[in-house]
Amino acid sequence: MSALTGKRWPITSLGSVVKFLSGGTPNKSTESYWNGRIPWVTSGEMTSERIHTTEYALTEEGAVAGSRLVPRGTSFIVVRGMSLAKEFRVSMAMRDMAFNQDVKAVIPCDEFDRTFIYYYLKSQSNPIRDSASEAAHGTKKLDMAVLEQWPIPRVPLDTQKKIAAILCHYDDLIENNKRRITLLENMAEEIYREWFVRFRFPGWQEAEFEKGLPASWVVAQGDDLFEVVKGKSYTSEEISDQLNGGRPFINLKNFNRGGGYRSNGLKYFRGEFRDRQQVNRGDVVMAVTDMTQNREVIGRAARVPYLGETDGIISLDVVKISAFSWPDIFTYAHLRYSGISEALKELANGANVLHLKPDLVGKQKYLVPDTPIVEKFVKLVEPFYEQTEKLEQQIDMLERTKNQLLPRLISGKLSVENLDIQFPPSMQSDQPDSADEAAA
C-alpha cells in the first residue's frame, strides 16, 4: 500500500469514508432502455479523466432497471479488465451518469468532498494498480477487500476543498485548451471536406468535372505517393516512462481515439534503431495496432509535435507516412479527413489485438488534387496546426505541474489551510456541463 505522510492528519480506511457502488448492463434487447439522454460509462470511456459523453446512453427506465444513476462529480474506477495490467483508471462524471459492471462508483460520506476523493484516488494510481490480482483469461481485477482497507488521510473538509480547488484549476485550464484544439481541428476538417470531398474549392465553378470528379485531378495508388516506414520492435528493458538518456518513443498510446496526437502516452527508448525510424516535428505517423473494441485507433493518423533536442523513434505499432511531393500538413489532413482511415480499419484483423499490415496502406487508392489547390489549403490551415501545437505544449506544462503538486497536496507536505482560494466553475454544482447546454 501507499505510504501517506501527512504530518497532522490521522489515517483511516477508504471503506470507512466512501461507498463502492456496482453498476450493470441493461437488457440490450429492450429498446426502451437505450438511446436516451443518460450517459452509460464503460471501462473504454475511462481513458479520459473527465467524462462528458459516452458512446451509449440510457433512458431513465434503463438506468433504473439495469444500471445505477450517480450524480455529477462522482468518481469512477475500473475494477477489472486488461487495462489494469498497465494502469489504474480513475475518471470523474461531469453530469449525472450510469455505469456498467466493470466500473464502480465511489460515493463519499458527508465528511469528504467528492472532488478531493477523485484526486486522492489519482494520487494512489500506481500502488492500487500494483495491488490488482490475476483474473480469468489474462485480465486483472481489484480486490475490493484491499480497497476497503486502503489508507486515506482524514483531512478537514475545508482543507479538502482547497486542495481540490487548486488541482481543479489546472484541469479546467487543460480542458479549456482541449476545447480550443477541437475547435481548430474542426475548422481544418471542415475546410478539407469543403474543398476535397464536396469539391467546392477556390475556382470550382470554372473547373471541368468528369464523373463527379475534377477533370484535372487523378486517382493514384498510395505506393506512388508516399513511403510507409515500419517502426522499431523493442523489449520492455529498452523503454521507460522517464527520459534517462533515451529518445522519445512514439507508440500506440500517443494516438487519440479517432486520430490525433496524445502527448501523455509518450515513452522513452534506449536501444538500436535505423535512421528511417526517426521522426521529428511535423512528421505524419499512423497506428497499425489497436486494442480498442471498435477499431478507434487503427489506421488513424497523428502529427508529431516538437519532441525536444533529439528526434523521436517510432514503435512497431506505428508507421511513418513520408509523402514524395505532398506537404506533411496535407498528408495528415488527407489521412485524417478523407475517410481512408475507415477503409483501413476494416482491413485489420486479429482477436484481442488488431493488426494492420503496413503494406496495405500503400495499396489503397487516393485522390490527388492539383498542386496549387493543395498549396492554398496548406497556407490556410497551417496557422491552425501551429496554434494547436502551442496549446498542446501548454497542456503538457499544466499536466506536469499538476502531477508534481498532487502528491504534495494530498500528503499535507504543501499546506493550504491559510490560503484564500476561489473555487473554479467545475466545482460549483450550479454550473451546467457543456454537453447539457448543447442538449438543451
Side-chain angles (χ1 to χ4, degrees):
M1 290 189 182
S2 174
L4 295 171
T5 56
K7 296 179 180 180
R8 303 173 304 282
W9 303 326
I11 302 298
T12 188
S13 64
L14 184 59
S16 68
V17 298
V18 305
K19 290 182 179 179
F20 294 99
L21 301 185
S22 299
T25 301
N27 190 324
K28 292 190 175 181
S29 62
T30 305
E31 293 184 4
S32 62
Y33 290 171
W34 298 92
N35 299 318
R37 293 170 59 94
I38 300 173
W40 182 64
V41 178
T42 67
S43 59
E45 263 96 27
M46 290 186 54
T47 54
S48 299
E49 294 190 350
R50 292 180 171 185
I51 303 177
H52 294 268
T53 60
T54 56
E55 182 177 1
Y56 300 102
L58 304 179
T59 62
E60 291 186 11
E61 182 184 0
V64 172
S67 186
R68 180 171 273 170
L69 193 62
V70 293
R72 173 182 172 162
T74 298
S75 295
F76 293 122
I77 61 173
V78 176
V79 294
R80 64 183 179 186
M82 294 182 65
S83 65
L84 273 173
K86 295 182 178 179
E87 60 182 340
F88 171 61
R89 293 183 180 176
V90 185
S91 298
M92 180 186 290
M94 299 308 291
R95 54 193 296 192
D96 293 357
M97 293 186 173
F99 54 104
N100 80 350
Q101 60 275 8
D102 292 335
V103 175
K104 285 193 182 289
V106 185
I107 309 296
C109 67
D110 292 341
E111 297 177 10
F112 275 77
D113 177 74
R114 59 190 180 183
T115 308
F116 174 83
I117 287 292
Y118 166 75
Y119 286 115
Y120 162 74
L121 291 168
K122 293 291 292 183
S123 75
Q124 302 297 295
S125 291
N126 289 341
I128 291 178
R129 176 204 63 198
D130 294 341
S131 76
S133 59
E134 296 291 336
H137 307 295
T139 61
K140 293 271 191 174
K141 67 175 182 178
L142 292 177
D143 188 333
M144 295 310 299
V146 173
L147 276 184
E148 293 275 357
Q149 295 302 314
W150 204 267
I152 180 172
R154 191 176 283 278
V155 183
L157 185 58
D158 286 346
T159 303
Q160 290 180 40
K161 290 182 178 180
K162 288 183 177 182
I163 290 172
I166 291 171
L167 296 167
C168 219
H169 273 298
Y170 283 93
D171 278 331
D172 285 356
L173 288 170
I174 290 168
E175 194 159 76
N176 184 56
N177 276 4
K178 287 181 178 179
R179 290 194 192 101
R180 293 171 65 189
I181 288 171
T182 299
L183 179 61
L184 290 165
E185 289 179 340
N186 288 345
M187 290 168 61
E189 179 178 3
E190 180 57 27
I191 294 169
Y192 177 90
R193 292 188 179 279
E194 182 73 0
W195 290 22
F196 304 109
V197 177
R198 296 187 281 269
F199 303 125
R200 291 198 284 265
F201 48 86
W204 68 274
Q205 296 93 335
E206 291 77 36
E208 294 184 13
F209 285 78
E210 294 179 2
K211 297 181 180 180
L213 299 178
S216 59
W217 297 14
V218 298
V219 176
Q221 186 165 299
D223 287 334
D224 296 326
L225 302 172
F226 48 73
E227 180 186 20
V228 180
V229 180
K230 298 178 182 179
K232 177 73 176 70
S233 60
Y234 59 93
T235 64
S236 58
E237 291 78 16
E238 291 177 317
I239 59 171
S240 170
D241 292 330
Q242 306 298 323
L243 182 57
N244 293 333
R247 288 175 176 261
F249 196 50
I250 307 298
N251 61 91
L252 200 56
K253 283 191 173 183
N254 288 116
F255 290 82
N256 288 315
R257 295 186 178 213
Y261 185 80
R262 180 173 173 238
S263 61
N264 58 6
L266 192 64
K267 303 287 185 181
Y268 296 91
F269 175 78
R270 298 182 66 181
E272 299 296 326
F273 57 87
R274 296 180 180 178
D275 290 344
R276 298 168 67 246
Q277 294 168 329
Q278 296 182 93
V279 290
N280 51 39
R281 182 174 182 258
D283 283 342
V284 181
V285 292
M286 177 183 288
V288 290
T289 304
D290 198 342
M291 290 183 286
T292 65
Q293 294 180 349
N294 298 314
R295 301 172 182 247
E296 296 172 292
V297 173
I298 203 159
R300 266 57 172 202
R303 289 184 75 237
V304 177
Y306 174 70
L307 297 172
E309 296 296 325
T310 59
D311 292 342
I313 310 298
I314 53 173
S315 81
L316 191 62
D317 299 317
V318 178
V319 294
K320 178 172 67 172
I321 310 294
S322 298
F324 299 134
S325 58
W326 280 347
D328 287 331
I329 285 178
F330 184 77
T331 302
Y332 172 69
H334 193 66
L335 295 174
R336 277 295 305 274
Y337 311 134
S338 68
I340 188 63
S341 60
E342 294 299 314
L344 288 171
K345 76 176 187 180
E346 298 303 327
L347 300 176
N349 50 49
N352 294 326
V353 179
L354 293 169
H355 296 282
L356 173 67
K357 293 181 179 178
D359 293 348
L360 293 177
V361 179
K363 302 303 179 186
Q364 306 309 301
K365 299 294 185 181
Y366 299 82
L367 183 61
V368 183
D370 291 335
T371 298
I373 298 297
V374 171
E375 291 174 345
K376 287 182 180 179
F377 172 79
V378 170
K379 184 177 181 180
L380 182 59
V381 303
E382 189 170 20
F384 299 167
Y385 292 123
E386 290 177 349
Q387 182 63 26
T388 293
E389 187 169 332
K390 290 178 182 178
L391 291 169
E392 288 172 340
Q393 290 172 353
Q394 291 177 18
I395 289 174
D396 288 344
M397 180 189 67
L398 291 166
E399 288 277 10
R400 285 195 301 270
T401 305
K402 183 190 71 172
N403 291 337
Q404 290 170 355
L405 287 172
L406 178 60
R408 295 176 60 82
L409 289 168
I410 294 294
S411 68
K413 287 183 177 180
L414 190 59
S415 177
V416 300
E417 284 89 344
N418 297 323
L419 297 181
D420 183 17
I421 297 172
Q422 183 179 2
F423 292 116
S426 57
M427 285 186 67
Q428 299 173 17
S429 59
D430 60 339
Q431 295 293 320
D433 175 61
S434 57
D436 293 327
E437 290 176 335

